[in-house]
């Protein structure tokens, strides 16, 4: 049940019996918590003055987190939450918005208010009819620093976290509390989102003989002789463990390039499940598609029509291909960073994979229709999945204008022409390129991902270079055009199958990404 769908039912439940004072409930969350932000925005937009007041406390602030810990100790929940959002109604703690909406009862709001919430009451009264109140707990007295002489050696910890990790915000607060009590503590904090994070996780697996599978162990706190993951390691718990520690920190050596490469190869990620053959085949299929192929054939044929020397045609074709390569590589890098940024958000990652999967299905159907139409009547004009007539005319117009330049300017200008025309064709050729980028950049902009991106773009321009070389060797434009038409059906079949495979691949990844 979504937060928005469940909200009216919750409000109806709370309004069944009027209370003497306006009811309220607490939301403990972090600024990095997407569910916390979404629930606050929904409540603020839809709540009425008769609805309960939502009191938000950010656990990113130390006083609020300490207040939460004190409330938990006083109310003694059976299973203290390890992640956020965490909601408190009456004396009942519930982890997660959806679970709170399913379990919340009117009787909770009729219970006596815990004495620890007394400092909040004036702020609630002053809130009036506001639906949302952001509140900070009174600052707690500074804790005395224990003697560090009790430790047999300088304390060290390894902390692994993940982007978008719901449990990491609370674990980080516990580590901050521990650091305040133990100033000499040195924490090696690693984000499990790049090659370094993979290498450190591999060290943990080897040191503690953990299964080499795809389980995400973050947040994970490790010390010389042990580790904790899957729940919040409290400051008090870690304090006791560090006092008994006798082994040195085994993780502090700098990560070497070879170690990064090994970790990337062993990590069970989408990036490593991609093969070079898949990348090269996708690039070739994209480069032979009618959009990209027709333009280079028209360029070569126009130069031959103007009776330019074959050496000039070769130089222009090479520069044109270089422009296409550079512009596509830059597009790939830019879109790769954007896709990776979105994929750090758990929900966005599922939606992104699902979107690419559905897009793959749609393109599969459309290219299949084009394939069947062309197989029936052999007319290119009956195919819809390509550039429109107006775009083709604009491309031809650009080539005509460029051809009027002096020869000494035409060759370097061909690089800019390649950049410009490739941008105009992106709507067609990007049908393969964008999903491939999403797959390549799944685990960040790493050396292996960049090499795959280079390989894709090299494969993409190989057919263009082949046409240019054929023209240099004396093959006429009409021969090239006829060759392209003879192989158009095979190209469309390859594109159809490629999109079907992409759809199955990304839909599978979307399902696997669901927690």
């Amino acid at each position: 049940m979504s937060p928005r769908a469940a909200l009216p039912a919750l409000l109806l439940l709370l309004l069944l019996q009027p209370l003497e004072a306006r009811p309220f409930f607490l939301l403990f969350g972090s600024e990095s918590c997407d569910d916390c932000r979404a629930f606050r925005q929904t409540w603020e937009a839809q709540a009425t003055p008769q609805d309960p007041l939502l009191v938000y406390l950010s656990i990113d602030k130390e006083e609020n987190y300490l207040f939460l810990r004190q409330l938990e100790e006083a109310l003694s929940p059976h299973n203290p939450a390890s992640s956020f959002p965490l909601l408190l109604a009456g004396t009942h703690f519930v982890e997660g918005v959806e679970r709170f909406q399913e379990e919340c009862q009117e009787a909770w709001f009729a219970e006596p208010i815990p004495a620890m919430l007394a400092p909040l009451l004036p702020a609630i009264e002053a809130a009036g009819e506001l639906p949302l109140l952001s509140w900070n707990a009174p600052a707690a007295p500074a804790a005395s620093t224990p003697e560090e002489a009790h430790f047999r050696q300088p304390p060290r910890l390894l902390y692994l976290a993940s982007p978008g990790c719901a449990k990491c915000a609370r674990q980080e607060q516990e580590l901050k509390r521990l650091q305040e009590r133990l100033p000499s503590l040195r924490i090696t904090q690693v984000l499990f989102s790049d090659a370094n994070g993979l290498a450190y996780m591999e060290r943990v697996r080897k040191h503690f003989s953990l299964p080499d599978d795809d389980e995400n162990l973050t947040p994970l706190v490790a010390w010389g002789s042990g580790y904790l993951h899957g729940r919040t390691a409290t400051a008090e718990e870690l304090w006791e463990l560090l006092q008994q520690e006798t082994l040195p920190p085994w993780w502090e050596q700098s990560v070497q390039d070879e170690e990064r490469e090994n970790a990337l190869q062993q990590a069970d990620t989408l990036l490593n499940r991609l093969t070079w053959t898949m990348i090269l085949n996708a690039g070739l299929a994209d480069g032979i598609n009618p959009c990209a192929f027709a333009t280079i054939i028209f360029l070569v044929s126009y130069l031959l029509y103007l009776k330019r020397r074959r050496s000039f045609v070769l130089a222009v074709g090479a520069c044109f291909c270089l422009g296409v390569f550079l512009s596509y590589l830059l597009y790939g890098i830019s879109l790769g960073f954007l896709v990776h940024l979105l994929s750090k958000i758990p929900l966005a990652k599922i939606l992104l994979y699902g979107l690419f999967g559905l897009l793959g299905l749609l393109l599969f159907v459309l290219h299949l229709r084009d394939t069947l139409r062309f197989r029936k009547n052999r007319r290119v004009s009956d195919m819809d999945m390509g550039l429109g007539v107006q775009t083709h005319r604009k491309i031809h117009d650009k080539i005509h204008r460029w051809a009027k330049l002096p020869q000494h300017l035409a060759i370097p200008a061909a690089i800019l022409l390649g950049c410009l025309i490739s941008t105009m064709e992106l709507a067609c050729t990007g049908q393969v390129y964008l999903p491939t980028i999403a797959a390549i950049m799944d685990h960040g902009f790493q050396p292996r991902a960049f090499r795959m991106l280079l390989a894709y773009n090299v494969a993409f321009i190989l057919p263009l270079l082949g046409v240019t070389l054929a023209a240099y060797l004396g093959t006429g434009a009409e021969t090239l055009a006829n060759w392209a038409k003879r192989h158009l059906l095979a190209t469309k079949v390859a594109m159809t199958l490629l999109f079907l495979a992409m759809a199955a691949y990304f839909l599978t990844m979307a399902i696997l990404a669901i927690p």
Side-chain angles (χ1 to χ4, degrees):
M1 182 184 298
S2 67
R4 186 176 294 273
L7 189 59
L10 175 62
L11 296 180
L12 179 61
L13 175 66
L14 297 176
L15 294 175
L16 288 177
Q17 179 180 345
L19 303 177
E20 295 181 1
R22 185 182 182 187
F24 67 92
F25 62 105
L26 276 58
L27 170 67
F28 292 93
S30 170
E31 296 304 315
S32 61
C33 169
D34 296 322
D35 288 342
C36 305
R37 187 183 308 110
F39 184 69
R40 287 159 52 198
Q41 292 173 350
T42 302
W43 191 273
E44 190 169 21
Q46 297 186 6
T48 68
Q50 290 74 38
D51 296 329
L53 174 67
L54 173 60
V55 182
Y56 172 66
L57 292 89
S58 171
I59 60 97
D60 297 324
K61 297 183 178 180
E62 182 183 4
E63 60 269 25
N64 292 339
Y65 183 72
L66 293 176
F67 185 66
L68 169 61
R69 286 290 307 272
Q70 293 166 1
L71 275 172
E72 286 182 327
E73 292 175 3
L75 300 177
S76 301
H78 296 294
N79 296 304
S82 59
S83 63
F84 296 95
L86 183 60
L87 298 105
L88 173 65
T91 59
H92 301 269
F93 273 108
V94 181
E95 182 178 353
V97 171
E98 291 190 7
R99 183 181 167 195
F100 177 77
Q101 292 170 329
E102 292 171 357
E103 297 182 3
C104 182
Q105 302 174 21
E106 177 199 2
W108 292 3
F109 294 85
E111 296 175 350
I113 297 174
M116 290 185 60
L117 295 181
L120 173 60
L121 298 181
I124 292 176
E125 185 178 353
E129 298 181 349
L130 292 176
L132 173 67
L133 169 66
S134 293
W135 186 71
N136 293 321
S144 58
T145 303
E147 296 181 8
E148 299 189 15
H150 294 168
F151 289 88
R152 302 179 183 181
Q153 59 184 2
R156 300 287 185 268
L157 284 176
L158 171 66
Y159 173 53
L160 290 175
S162 292
C165 167
K167 298 180 180 180
C168 294
R170 178 149 199 171
Q171 185 60 74
E172 288 165 10
Q173 286 295 326
E174 291 293 334
L175 292 176
K176 186 186 298 183
R177 292 180 59 235
L178 180 62
Q179 185 81 69
E180 291 173 354
R181 294 184 59 187
L182 188 55
S184 65
L185 173 66
R186 190 167 70 190
I187 301 174
T188 302
Q189 182 167 343
V190 182
L191 196 61
F192 186 56
S193 63
D194 55 18
N196 277 344
L198 291 171
Y200 274 103
M201 184 63 77
E202 188 62 25
R203 288 183 181 182
V204 172
R205 292 187 187 279
K206 288 182 178 179
H207 189 80
F208 296 110
S209 301
L210 301 179
D212 190 13
D213 53 27
D214 61 352
E215 182 185 3
N216 187 347
L217 301 177
T218 58
L220 181 144
V221 180
W223 53 98
S225 58
Y227 70 96
L228 287 171
H229 81 94
R231 64 175 180 83
T232 302
T234 66
E236 293 78 10
E237 183 178 17
L238 292 172
W239 173 268
E240 295 295 333
L241 290 168
L242 288 175
Q243 279 190 314
Q244 303 167 17
E245 184 55 67
T246 58
L247 298 180
W250 39 264
W251 61 84
E252 292 197 327
Q253 181 182 359
S254 300
V255 175
Q256 305 299 314
D257 291 339
E258 181 180 358
E259 194 175 6
R260 293 189 187 93
E261 288 294 328
N262 291 337
L264 287 173
Q265 292 173 6
Q266 295 176 15
D268 185 20
T269 63
L270 175 60
L271 176 62
N272 288 287
R273 285 192 291 269
L274 285 173
T275 66
W276 289 99
T277 302
M278 291 174 59
I279 294 295
L280 293 173
N281 286 341
L284 283 172
D286 201 7
I288 299 176
N289 81 56
C291 303
F293 222 55
T295 299
I296 190 66
I297 290 178
F298 178 80
L299 174 63
V300 168
S301 63
Y302 190 65
L303 291 175
L304 294 176
Y305 169 78
L306 295 177
K307 301 187 182 302
R308 299 293 175 88
R309 297 189 311 274
R310 282 187 293 170
S311 59
F312 178 77
V313 174
L314 179 63
V316 166
C319 289
F320 178 84
C321 292
L322 178 61
V324 172
F325 175 81
L326 292 176
S327 61
Y328 263 61
L329 184 61
L330 289 176
Y331 283 131
I333 294 172
S334 302
L335 292 172
F337 275 117
L338 177 60
V339 168
H340 179 59
L341 183 64
L342 292 175
S343 69
K344 290 183 177 180
I345 306 172
L347 179 59
K349 189 171 187 176
I350 297 171
L351 293 176
L352 196 64
Y353 285 150
L355 176 63
F356 282 129
L358 295 176
L359 180 62
L361 281 178
L362 175 63
L363 292 173
F364 161 72
V365 172
L366 295 177
H367 278 276
L368 179 62
R369 184 182 63 179
D370 279 359
T371 301
L372 296 176
R373 285 179 176 178
F374 183 77
R375 185 176 181 271
K376 181 179 180 180
N377 52 39
R378 296 284 170 173
R379 289 201 302 266
V380 178
S381 58
D382 288 344
M383 296 191 300
D384 296 327
M385 296 308 294
L387 296 177
V389 176
Q390 292 298 323
T391 305
H392 274 295
R393 288 177 179 172
K394 289 180 181 179
I395 290 175
H396 292 173
D397 180 63
K398 299 295 182 186
I399 293 176
H400 287 147
R401 291 170 180 262
W402 163 84
K404 296 178 181 179
L405 294 172
Q407 288 196 16
H408 68 282
L409 293 178
I411 291 178
I415 298 176
L416 297 178
L417 182 68
C419 294
L420 178 62
I421 291 179
S422 62
T423 302
M424 298 172 70
E425 293 178 339
L426 193 61
C428 178
T429 56
Q431 295 170 11
V432 179
Y433 195 27
L434 184 56
T436 305
I437 291 171
I440 289 175
M441 297 295 178
D442 177 70
H443 228 291
F445 199 78
Q446 303 161 355
R448 189 166 185 251
F450 183 67
R451 289 197 295 271
M452 283 187 168
L453 196 61
L454 283 174
Y456 180 94
N457 282 278
V458 168
F460 177 77
I461 65 167
L462 281 179
L464 309 184
L465 289 171
V467 170
T468 303
L469 182 60
Y472 173 75
L473 295 176
T475 304
E478 185 176 352
T479 303
L480 292 171
N482 290 334
W483 182 91
K485 188 172 183 179
R486 285 197 307 270
H487 293 81
L488 182 57
L489 180 60
T491 302
K492 295 298 291 184
V493 170
M495 293 286 284
T496 302
L497 295 176
L498 179 63
F499 284 121
L500 179 61
M502 283 187 171
Y505 198 82
F506 279 105
L507 289 175
T508 300
M509 293 308 300
I511 294 172
L512 293 177
I514 298 175

